[in-house]
Amino acid sequence: LASSLDWDRRFNELKQYKADYGGCSVPKEWSGNKQLGRWVSKQRLQHRYLQQGKESSMTEERIAKLESIGFEWSLASSLDWDRRFNELKQY
């Protein structure tokens, strides 16, 4: 139960981060909340473990919650999108 409460607390922090900054890509060592940055990184790792059939704390409910706020499982796609968007703005 404690880990579920902790997860919900971090999820709410992530929702606030998205409201403030427009996305869910929290830097791993973000000075504003290092625990949140590490938590976001851990969610991606746990999701990867789940996909690989390894033991994971990720659940379908958590996946649905994260995806409902636009969470991206791959940083590469997010970084590429941001780069392309900036290129488009410069054009």
Side-chain angles (χ1 to χ4, degrees):
L1 181 63
S3 65
S4 181
L5 292 174
D6 289 342
W7 194 94
D8 288 337
R9 186 178 80 241
R10 293 286 181 234
F11 178 71
N12 288 327
E13 290 174 359
L14 180 60
K15 288 196 301 189
Q16 185 60 53
Y17 179 91
K18 182 180 181 182
D20 293 344
Y21 299 101
C24 297
S25 296
V26 183
K28 189 172 184 179
E29 294 293 325
W30 180 50
S31 61
N33 184 338
K34 287 185 180 182
Q35 292 85 0
L36 180 61
R38 291 181 193 128
W39 181 85
V40 166
S41 180
K42 182 180 177 186
Q43 300 316 297
R44 290 190 177 102
L45 179 65
Q46 292 298 318
H47 183 258
R48 193 164 47 249
Y49 285 167
L50 183 66
Q51 289 183 316
Q52 295 170 350
K54 297 179 180 177
E55 187 175 329
S56 171
S57 62
M58 186 55 63
T59 65
E60 292 300 322
E61 179 186 359
R62 289 176 175 180
I63 290 170
K65 280 184 166 184
L66 288 165
E67 289 181 348
S68 77
I69 63 167
F71 189 84
E72 294 188 37
W73 298 108
S74 171
L75 273 181
S77 64
S78 175
L79 294 174
D80 189 52
W81 191 92
D82 288 341
R83 184 173 54 83
R84 295 290 187 195
F85 181 71
N86 286 328
E87 288 173 1
L88 181 62
K89 286 195 305 190
Q90 291 173 0
Y91 179 74

